[in-house]
Amino acid sequence: MMRAALLALFCAATAGAVATVGACSNFDPNALTEVAGPDYNQFKGVMPDGGLGTGVSAVIEKRCGTLDCHGQVGRALRLYSQFGLRFVDDAGNTPGGPTGGQPTTETEHQANYQSVLGLQPELMTEVVQGNAPPGALMLLRKPLQLERHEGGAVFVAGDVTYQCLTSWLAGQTDFTSCQGAAQ
């Protein structure tokens, strides 16, 4: 979706200055790119049997969602939670009033899920479909310090946070690891 929007912007900006470019002449503004993502319910903490557990959202909220990290507006991976940035609705309401304090809302879980998928949508699709390893995602590479990450190493390969995230990406969330990672 982002690629299509950037291509549209490029085509619009260069249309008067350059003869029709092959890529621009094939642009379809109605085209959608399907993005596959791991299970949303497991992300927010709903176990396959319908019970509630600690999901991936709780882990990344606690580990990464504070106001000095990804719980701020200017981040590509923006996280909402009771520990940092709160989602403000169209009426200007914040969960729990102006100081927050309430658990992460459904709207915030949805925004977090979309933020995680939107970080590298095409690659996320490849990982979910089994065509790329989870370790290719920035979601893992940066907190493992395999790429520059201002927050440094957040977890190490094989620990409970790593197990939580990689099991979710594989479609079988390890809720015990997620609970340990959220502690």
Side-chain angles (χ1 to χ4, degrees):
M1 188 92 116
M2 179 63 90
R3 184 177 290 158
L6 291 173
L7 185 57
L9 183 60
F10 171 77
C11 291
T14 59
V18 179
T20 303
V21 177
C24 295
S25 65
N26 295 326
F27 175 70
D28 179 358
N30 297 314
L32 296 175
T33 300
E34 298 265 340
V35 176
D39 188 87
Y40 169 70
N41 283 324
Q42 291 179 25
F43 178 80
K44 69 179 189 175
V46 178
M47 296 189 286
D49 66 4
L52 295 179
T54 302
V56 173
S57 189
V59 172
I60 62 175
E61 289 167 25
K62 199 152 194 184
R63 296 232 171 199
C64 313
T66 59
L67 290 171
D68 60 336
C69 291
H70 293 278
Q72 57 181 279
V73 176
R75 302 306 297 257
L77 176 63
R78 180 181 314 147
L79 301 171
Y80 297 94
S81 75
Q82 63 184 337
F83 307 110
L85 183 66
R86 299 311 306 246
F87 189 90
V88 180
D89 68 18
D90 291 338
N93 299 318
T94 303
T99 59
Q102 296 297 317
T104 305
T105 66
E106 177 66 20
T107 300
E108 290 170 329
H109 282 300
Q110 290 173 357
N112 291 347
Y113 182 77
Q114 291 172 0
S115 185
V116 167
L117 266 57
L119 194 58
Q120 291 179 293
E122 294 88 357
L123 185 54
M124 178 64 81
T125 299
E126 292 296 312
V127 168
V128 170
Q129 293 174 345
N131 299 324
L137 291 167
M138 277 193 294
L139 182 67
L140 294 175
R141 294 186 61 75
K142 286 197 171 223
L144 286 170
Q145 201 63 47
L146 299 174
E147 288 184 26
R148 185 184 170 286
H149 183 238
E150 192 171 319
V154 179
F155 55 87
V156 297
D159 75 2
V160 290
T161 303
Y162 181 85
Q163 291 297 328
C164 174
L165 292 172
T166 56
S167 65
W168 172 65
L169 291 166
Q172 297 181 356
T173 305
D174 179 348
F175 289 98
T176 302
S177 291
C178 292
Q179 183 175 1
Q183 297 300 321

